[in-house]
Amino acid sequence: MLSILLKKQLQETFRSYYFNPKTNKSRSTAGTIVLFVLFGVVMVVFVGGMMASLAATLCLSFHAVKVEWLFFLIMSLIALTLGVLGSVFNTYSRLYLPKDNDLLLSMPIPVSTVIISRLLSVYLMGLLYSSVVLIPSFIVYWIICGISVMSVLGCMILMVIITVLVLSLSCLLGWVVAKISVRLKNRSIIVVLISLAFIVLYYVFYFNASTIIRDLMLNALEYGEGLKNAVPFLYRFGMIGTGDLLATLIFLAASAVLFVLVWFLLRSSFLKLAITPAVTVKKKYRGSSDIIERSIQRTLLTKEFRRFVSSPAYMLNCGLGSLLLVVAGVFLLIFGGQFSSIISVQFGERSGFDAVLLCAGICLISSMNDMATPSVSLEGKSIWILKSSPVTPWQVLSAKLLLQITMTGIPALFASVCAAAAIKGDMFTRFMIIPVCLGYVVLMALFDLLIGLVIHNLNWVSEIVPIKQSIGVLIALFGGWVIPIVMGIAFFVLMAFIGGGIYLLAVFAVMLLLSLPIYLWMRKRGPVIYSEL
Amino acid sequence: MLVIENLTKRYGDTVAVDSLNLHIQPGEIYGFIGHNGAGKTTTIKCVAGILNFDSGKILIRGKSISEDHIGCKSEMAYIPDNPDMYDFMTGIKYLNFIADIFKVGAEERKRRIEDYADRFALTENLGQTISSYSHGMKQKLAIISAWIHSPSLIIMDEPFVGLDPKASHILKEMMREVCDGGGAIFFSTHVLEVAEKLCSKVAIIKNGRLVRSGTMEEVKGDDSLEEVFLELEGDED
């Protein structure tokens, strides 16, 4: 029984490698091989290579002062963090949200068998994330410090311990997420906030990583000794990789105990969490106050807005720019003057280069918003509602366009006003930041909708497919970078001949010229494509 | 009310609907029956303005769906076989959305929402998100949203699937009310007993072609509708 479920679970995990999610048809063997090779290249060459480089840097320094255990400790912590962060949200959905819960539980299959089969896919995910850190680290260690039977054995057991810890912690966090989800009402906002907190933490660590690593390398011995005396537990943990038998046995037993405890927790709560429907807002119909009359255009825009805020994935992947634009505006108010001074020193006070650079920066951040692109595909199976309603295709499309213009335009206006207020230079140049940024927002909204309309997919099962895994979204996201990059580079070349204000005016004119044909195309061809969906 | 003339719809090389002709008069409940894949849903989607068709004409109160789709859609309502609605909205927000689209005034929509939601015992659930609704509740919501603008023509694809006996009874009553008020109903069903008792006229479609249509008496004569249907299905074999 377990092998049947495991096979199903593996088929599910790697489904996208064998089936095209857009057409739901089998991929060709060559297509599947290409996907696996690409995946391998990304994991081994890029991520693995990055980790190998970090491991080599650390290992050389730590080996010199004989604190190899610190190397294993740091790499294990990175593997643990990556494994847990990478699989925590997956764990929740893989354990508790599969659509076949009811089907499997209605069949004569023990609940524990269902849980084990689900845990295997969680384990595989954790193994994947942890391996890209651990395997390069082990190889680097064997190359630099020499290879022995005990160190190979130690590394293998460390791998088992880390992956079991990742599995246990992921399950524990997945259980907490499930518990919270059953009780929470505004789940999408909470998920967005938690995800943003993770993103902020990641970037704080990322920007400080080089300083931390340099500091660690310079003071490896001092930190090693301090840590060994203060937290012997961590010292012991690091010793596993070096082949320390006692440390290996202690942590092997500890991870086994932790897993058993987590297993009992999952086993006792699985049924309740897997089949309990999430809390629904028990709001009652309040009569007249619930009856709100709007114009067609307004009601379509409200619908698009509700769709946007109902999905954490939609907000995080297609609307993060709105938040960052506000942050950038505040940042500019505080540091914009300093930035302007630095640029003035380099390129002269009247160059206007600061205005152009800030303009390009705001445009780049604005390009992170591309909610118009997946909005067509997101209609999915409910497209019959609008198609059978007395609304023109253009009314539908313009609501999608307006969502992006509003969600990006308002924070972009704030950021550009902050930029104009913060920098030095003549009034005209500073003022021109505002129309250029807003012109860019309109141009990108039109471009993103065009892409979403041309490359659409209404046959998705998970909304992640149109939001994140579509070629259209990729084109919209990276296509948006072209204008700001060209804007900055072109002015660098031209600034000896043209002032910042006039240049920005010309950029604004170019944006209008680019927007016009897309708009005209959208008015003419857009409704035709929409009506054929 | 509804005129379908020589309607042909192809999917690639497959002819889903082949030169179909139907005339539905005000006051008629018109049943549309056929085997799975016969072309019922395709026909209904063409009438609802969801699918473009290759040739033929569809007129709703004299207006062509191809030339004046807004005018036609304002006159009618459509309920699909599996009503996928906006899961992110609450029931009342969805009804407000549909009422806005069909420009139903606040007083009128309030009266109709309360009337129909009470009939289907859905009032208590209108404040909840549609994602929490059962299939039957979604079906009831789709019916209320179709009735909210008092359409003169209602197109339904398997409307009784998922409804409990009481809700089915209420829907039949509502269908008769529409017809008594001069409107018309065109719906597909596999439940032949319902078609036999409820419909004034019936059309049987097979492999995209109309094989029989007319008043219930004309179509079935002294036999039951089931016998006629099975006999027509057997002709092919």
Side-chain angles (χ1 to χ4, degrees):
Chain A
M1 183 61 69
L2 183 62
S3 63
I4 297 169
L5 289 183
L6 291 181
K7 193 177 165 193
K8 177 206 76 91
Q9 205 68 37
L10 287 174
Q11 280 172 346
E12 214 171 280
T13 305
F14 294 103
R15 191 177 194 281
S16 59
Y17 288 79
Y18 295 97
F19 289 90
N20 184 334
K22 189 174 174 180
T23 59
N24 247 342
K25 287 180 180 164
S26 294
R27 293 188 192 279
S28 63
T29 313
T32 302
I33 292 171
V34 167
L35 280 178
F36 272 109
V37 169
L38 275 176
F39 179 71
V41 167
V42 169
M43 294 306 276
V44 176
V45 179
F46 291 104
V47 187
M50 204 167 72
M51 287 301 160
S53 149
L54 172 69
T57 314
L58 289 178
C59 194
L60 277 169
S61 305
F62 293 174
H63 177 58
V65 289
K66 302 286 173 210
V67 283
E68 288 90 350
W69 66 269
L70 191 57
F71 165 73
F72 281 111
L73 179 67
I74 290 169
M75 296 317 287
S76 299
L77 286 177
I78 294 174
L80 201 63
T81 312
L82 200 66
V84 173
L85 284 186
S87 55
V88 61
F89 286 107
N90 280 322
T91 309
Y92 166 57
S93 54
R94 275 163 201 266
L95 276 177
Y96 301 106
L97 297 181
K99 288 180 179 168
D100 59 357
N101 265 346
D102 289 357
L103 177 69
L104 293 181
L105 293 173
S106 70
M107 291 198 275
I109 305 171
V111 177
S112 54
T113 311
V114 177
I115 303 176
I116 290 171
S117 69
R118 300 264 163 83
L119 283 182
L120 177 90
S121 69
V122 176
Y123 182 78
L124 279 178
M125 193 57 72
L127 180 70
L128 195 76
Y129 282 109
S130 310
S131 300
V132 291
V133 180
L134 291 176
I135 292 175
S137 306
F138 296 158
I139 296 171
V140 163
Y141 175 78
W142 293 328
I143 292 170
I144 294 173
C145 306
I147 191 164
S148 68
V149 176
M150 281 313 283
S151 72
V152 171
L153 205 64
C155 286
M156 293 297 110
I157 295 174
L158 182 62
M159 179 96 156
V160 173
I161 292 172
I162 294 286
T163 49
V164 170
L165 282 177
V166 166
L167 175 67
S168 306
L169 291 176
S170 299
C171 290
L172 211 56
L173 287 171
W175 176 79
V176 172
V177 172
K179 278 288 217 193
I180 292 172
S181 290
V182 171
R183 292 170 200 278
L184 274 182
K185 288 174 183 172
N186 298 317
R187 279 185 298 278
S188 54
I189 301 292
I190 303 283
V191 171
V192 168
L193 289 177
I194 293 172
S195 308
L196 283 177
F198 273 124
I199 291 169
V200 170
L201 270 176
Y202 169 78
Y203 278 103
V204 166
F205 178 76
Y206 180 81
F207 285 118
N208 291 303
S210 59
T211 317
I212 296 168
I213 290 167
R214 199 167 46 244
D215 191 35
L216 265 174
M217 283 161 56
L218 288 173
N219 306 294
L221 188 60
E222 194 185 327
Y223 283 143
E225 284 303 312
L227 205 60
K228 186 178 168 184
N229 295 329
V231 198
F233 160 81
L234 291 179
Y235 164 70
R236 282 281 166 208
F237 189 87
M239 287 301 286
I240 303 171
T242 61
D244 185 298
L245 193 63
L246 181 65
T248 306
L249 290 174
I250 292 171
F251 283 97
L252 204 54
S255 56
V257 169
L258 179 66
F259 179 71
V260 170
L261 288 176
V262 171
W263 167 258
F264 279 113
L265 183 72
L266 290 183
R267 177 75 184 78
S268 60
S269 62
F270 178 78
L271 266 186
K272 198 177 166 192
L273 289 170
I275 58 175
T276 305
V279 161
T280 51
V281 185
K282 287 274 178 192
K283 244 176 79 181
K284 284 193 173 176
Y285 169 62
R286 295 169 299 173
S288 299
S289 59
D290 272 337
I291 302 294
I292 303 159
E293 204 179 339
R294 295 186 177 95
S295 67
I296 290 182
Q297 207 53 55
R298 185 124 183 260
T299 204
L300 288 170
L301 179 62
T302 309
K303 177 222 136 199
E304 292 299 330
F305 184 73
R306 283 201 181 116
R307 180 80 184 82
F308 179 68
V309 295
S310 71
S311 161
Y314 197 10
M315 283 192 275
L316 281 169
N317 288 288
C318 305
L320 204 57
S322 300
L323 183 73
L324 291 181
L325 281 168
V326 175
V327 173
V330 175
F331 186 82
L332 282 170
L333 278 180
I334 301 167
F335 300 108
Q338 286 177 35
F339 173 78
S340 190
S341 302
I342 294 166
I343 297 292
S344 299
V345 168
Q346 290 287 322
F347 299 97
E349 205 162 283
R350 301 180 67 82
S351 70
F353 197 38
D354 50 352
V356 175
L357 278 183
L358 285 183
C359 217
I362 292 170
C363 291
L364 263 179
I365 301 174
S366 305
S367 74
M368 291 175 75
N369 278 9
D370 59 352
M371 52 279 271
T373 306
S375 66
V376 177
S377 300
L378 281 172
E379 291 292 339
K381 286 175 182 162
S382 56
I383 196 160
W384 67 271
I385 298 169
L386 292 176
K387 288 193 80 176
S388 64
S389 297
V391 289
T392 61
W394 174 245
Q395 282 176 314
V396 176
L397 295 176
S398 60
K400 298 176 187 305
L401 196 66
L402 268 177
L403 174 76
Q404 181 161 331
I405 291 176
T406 315
M407 289 300 297
T408 320
I410 294 170
L413 176 67
F414 171 73
S416 55
V417 168
C418 291
I423 63 169
K424 294 167 187 165
D426 66 280
M427 198 63 174
F428 176 63
T429 307
R430 288 160 63 192
F431 169 76
M432 280 312 296
I433 295 174
I434 302 168
V436 170
C437 290
L438 296 182
Y440 177 81
V441 168
V442 173
L443 170 63
M444 285 318 295
L446 282 164
F447 175 72
D448 290 351
L449 184 60
L450 180 147
I451 296 293
L453 198 56
V454 174
I455 308 172
H456 58 263
N457 168 21
L458 298 173
N459 298 316
W460 43 268
V461 177
S462 163
E463 63 174 14
I464 284 293
V465 174
I467 287 173
K468 207 174 173 180
Q469 298 166 353
S470 111
I471 188 78
V473 170
L474 208 68
I475 294 172
L477 201 63
F478 292 112
W481 291 10
V482 176
I483 290 177
I485 290 171
V486 171
M487 194 199 303
I489 293 172
F491 187 68
F492 185 74
V493 176
L494 295 171
M495 83 179 144
F497 313 102
I498 189 171
I502 299 294
Y503 178 76
L504 287 177
L505 184 65
V507 171
F508 180 61
V510 169
M511 280 177 187
L512 288 185
L513 282 174
L514 289 172
S515 299
L516 191 67
I518 302 179
Y519 174 77
L520 292 174
W521 183 92
M522 195 68 76
R523 290 303 307 257
K524 197 178 171 194
R525 283 288 302 158
V528 177
I529 297 176
Y530 176 84
S531 62
E532 286 167 357
L533 290 176
Chain B
M1 181 67 74
L2 170 65
V3 175
I4 302 173
E5 277 180 4
N6 292 316
L7 177 72
T8 300
K9 170 71 187 172
R10 291 187 188 86
Y11 294 111
D13 294 333
T14 311
V15 183
V17 180
D18 192 1
S19 305
L20 187 84
N21 290 290
L22 279 178
H23 288 218
I24 298 166
Q25 304 297 329
E28 285 180 352
I29 298 182
Y30 211 118
F32 195 36
I33 58 180
H35 60 85
N36 292 332
K40 301 186 296 294
T41 299
T42 300
T43 307
I44 282 176
K45 282 185 173 175
C46 289
V47 174
I50 293 172
L51 280 180
N52 295 331
F53 42 91
D54 297 291
S55 60
K57 225 172 13 180
I58 295 174
L59 303 176
I60 293 157
R61 294 187 95 174
K63 288 180 265 191
S64 163
I65 188 87
S66 311
E67 288 158 17
D68 180 12
H69 71 102
I70 298 285
C72 288
K73 287 171 183 175
S74 302
E75 300 274 358
M76 67 173 163
Y78 161 69
I79 302 174
D81 52 348
N82 193 5
D84 285 294
M85 286 174 282
Y86 302 128
D87 278 353
F88 54 89
M89 286 188 185
T90 61
I92 186 66
K93 281 183 175 145
Y94 179 72
L95 292 176
N96 266 315
F97 172 75
I98 296 295
D100 284 335
I101 296 282
F102 284 92
K103 297 176 184 163
V104 182
E107 280 306 309
E108 198 58 28
R109 79 173 70 169
K110 180 174 181 290
R111 193 181 59 73
R112 287 178 191 156
I113 287 171
E114 287 176 0
D115 175 16
Y116 297 129
D118 281 348
R119 288 201 212 185
F120 282 116
L122 201 67
T123 313
E124 287 292 303
N125 305 100
L126 286 179
Q128 294 172 22
T129 52
I130 296 173
S131 58
S132 69
Y133 281 20
S134 67
H135 180 82
M137 286 160 80
K138 284 183 185 173
Q139 189 73 2
K140 288 174 184 175
L141 188 69
I143 294 166
I144 298 171
S145 69
W147 255 258
I148 204 167
H149 67 284
S150 283
S152 47
L153 173 67
I154 299 176
I155 318 286
M156 296 185 284
D157 198 355
E158 295 288 350
F160 297 101
V161 173
L163 290 181
D164 58 51
K166 191 179 173 195
S168 293
H169 176 72
I170 294 165
L171 175 60
K172 286 175 208 165
E173 273 182 359
M174 286 166 65
M175 288 163 76
R176 287 197 188 99
E177 282 170 22
V178 170
C179 295
D180 292 345
I185 306 269
F186 179 50
F187 77 104
S188 73
T189 184
H190 284 300
V191 190
L192 299 180
E193 291 80 7
V194 168
E196 199 166 350
K197 283 180 187 161
L198 193 64
C199 300
S200 44
K201 282 188 177 172
V202 68
I204 301 175
I205 185 174
K206 184 178 170 185
N207 298 330
R209 298 186 74 95
L210 192 67
V211 289
R212 196 170 290 187
S213 68
T215 62
M216 192 58 75
E217 289 70 31
E218 285 169 353
V219 170
K220 73 183 182 76
D222 293 333
D223 298 324
S224 71
L225 188 59
E226 187 180 26
E227 284 168 334
V228 174
F229 180 74
L230 291 176
E231 187 189 327
L232 288 169
E233 282 299 303
D235 283 351
E236 186 192 19
D237 310 325

